[in-house]
Amino acid sequence: MRHDSGLVVETRDHVRLLTLDRPERRNALSSALQADLVEELLTAGSDGTRVVVLAGNGPAFCAGFDLKEIRAADDRGEPFRPPMERPGRSLFEVVTECPVPVIAAITGAAVAGGFELALAADLRVAAPGVPMGLPEAKIGMGANFGSVVLPKRIPMGVALEMLYTGAYVDSDVLERWGLVNRLAPREEVLDTALAIAATIAGNAPVSVRRMKQTAVKGLELPLWQALRLDVGPNPYTSEDRKEGIAAQLDKRAPRWTGR
């Protein structure tokens, strides 16, 4: 299915592939494209989806917000509303709060809001030599999400240098810093991301969802509080826990129900 915004939606078993398909605009995040992404992400997990993969068609993963759309609004005299002051949900927040794992498959440049979209994902697979960064300081924008999240993903000094200078850093370097999970040849990036997604989707969905919520919400809590978090579905009391043990002992593939 292809939305008018340029978002292509595919379902492969329990994996939902969301492809930004505006190559002529370097997959810039127009308002319509953001809205469609939010809608697809909000329904993930309630329809049998166990993993979401984000990809971009063409030479760029995503070049960030659609600057032509923003300038047109400026020319009309419309006041600019920062991302956190809009009536709709922030796309990046929705990605981080998606109940199922999200993997970014990055074959081309991921800059500005496109880099923030990749930052919001749980895992990142990228081609070598892909430029990534936050050039917002060069154009007077704010990179609010990136300013908060990037220092949590890589060492503070490196993050601040990227934010202050607006310089791009290659995916090879960011892989060494742990931000990129896997490097793969450009033509193999999507297949690699989908293979990881298939592995995750083959595991107990209740367990995976619990792990994501516990890891994300417990990250900055003191250890004693994080250990007592009770978030998301409880795998210990699920039907899938019984099925998983039975399948292990019977030496067969488990039949997960997500309950």
Side-chain angles (χ1 to χ4, degrees):
M1 178 178 69
R2 188 182 195 280
H3 292 273
D4 291 341
S5 64
L7 180 65
V8 178
V9 183
E10 300 176 61
T11 300
R12 305 186 182 191
D13 294 326
H14 293 285
V15 177
R16 178 176 297 180
L17 174 59
L18 303 178
T19 303
L20 313 182
D21 189 27
R22 302 183 70 207
E24 74 287 352
R25 295 287 298 121
R26 297 178 63 81
N27 297 324
L29 295 168
S30 65
S31 298
L33 180 54
Q34 292 178 62
D36 285 337
L37 277 166
V38 166
E39 183 62 31
E40 292 293 337
L41 289 161
L42 287 176
T43 59
S46 62
D47 59 357
T49 299
R50 297 179 185 173
V51 187
V52 171
V53 174
L54 299 173
N57 185 28
F61 170 70
C62 179
F65 291 119
D66 192 327
L67 298 183
K68 287 186 177 180
E69 182 182 71
I70 294 173
R71 184 170 66 175
D74 288 341
D75 291 343
R76 292 192 298 270
E78 298 176 10
F80 183 82
R81 302 188 74 168
M84 301 306 294
E85 297 178 14
R86 297 173 187 171
R89 297 286 304 281
S90 162
L91 168 60
F92 308 136
E93 280 192 291
V94 172
V95 175
T96 62
E97 294 174 4
C98 184
V100 301
V102 179
I103 303 173
I106 307 166
T107 55
V111 300
F115 185 50
E116 291 179 301
L117 182 60
L119 280 176
D122 298 295
L123 308 176
R124 284 154 289 278
V125 179
V130 168
M132 299 183 182
L134 296 164
E136 279 82 349
K138 295 178 179 292
I139 58 173
M141 295 285 275
N144 181 73
F145 183 86
S147 298
V148 172
V149 175
L150 187 60
K152 298 178 186 296
R153 301 280 192 265
I154 61 176
M156 175 69 82
V158 180
L160 291 179
E161 181 176 347
M162 290 180 67
L163 287 164
Y164 295 163
T165 65
Y168 296 153
V169 178
D170 281 355
S171 52
D172 311 63
V173 175
L174 293 175
E175 189 265 344
R176 294 199 294 273
W177 285 117
L179 184 66
V180 172
N181 294 79
R182 304 274 184 90
L183 287 174
R186 188 180 189 279
E187 65 276 9
E188 297 176 16
V189 166
L190 181 57
D191 286 343
T192 301
L194 289 170
I196 296 171
T199 297
I200 296 170
N203 290 333
V206 173
S207 295
V208 173
R209 291 177 68 164
R210 173 78 164 209
M211 288 171 178
K212 173 169 181 175
Q213 293 200 40
T214 301
V216 171
K217 294 182 179 180
L219 181 63
E220 297 186 42
L221 291 177
L223 179 61
W224 66 270
Q225 284 186 313
L227 288 172
R228 287 163 176 75
L229 276 178
D230 186 15
V231 293
N234 192 333
Y236 299 108
T237 59
S238 69
E239 294 178 18
D240 278 352
R241 191 265 303 164
K242 297 178 183 178
E243 167 61 15
I245 292 175
Q248 180 78 6
L249 294 175
D250 296 344
K251 295 181 172 55
R252 60 173 174 83
R255 296 181 288 271
W256 307 122
T257 63
R259 298 192 298 272

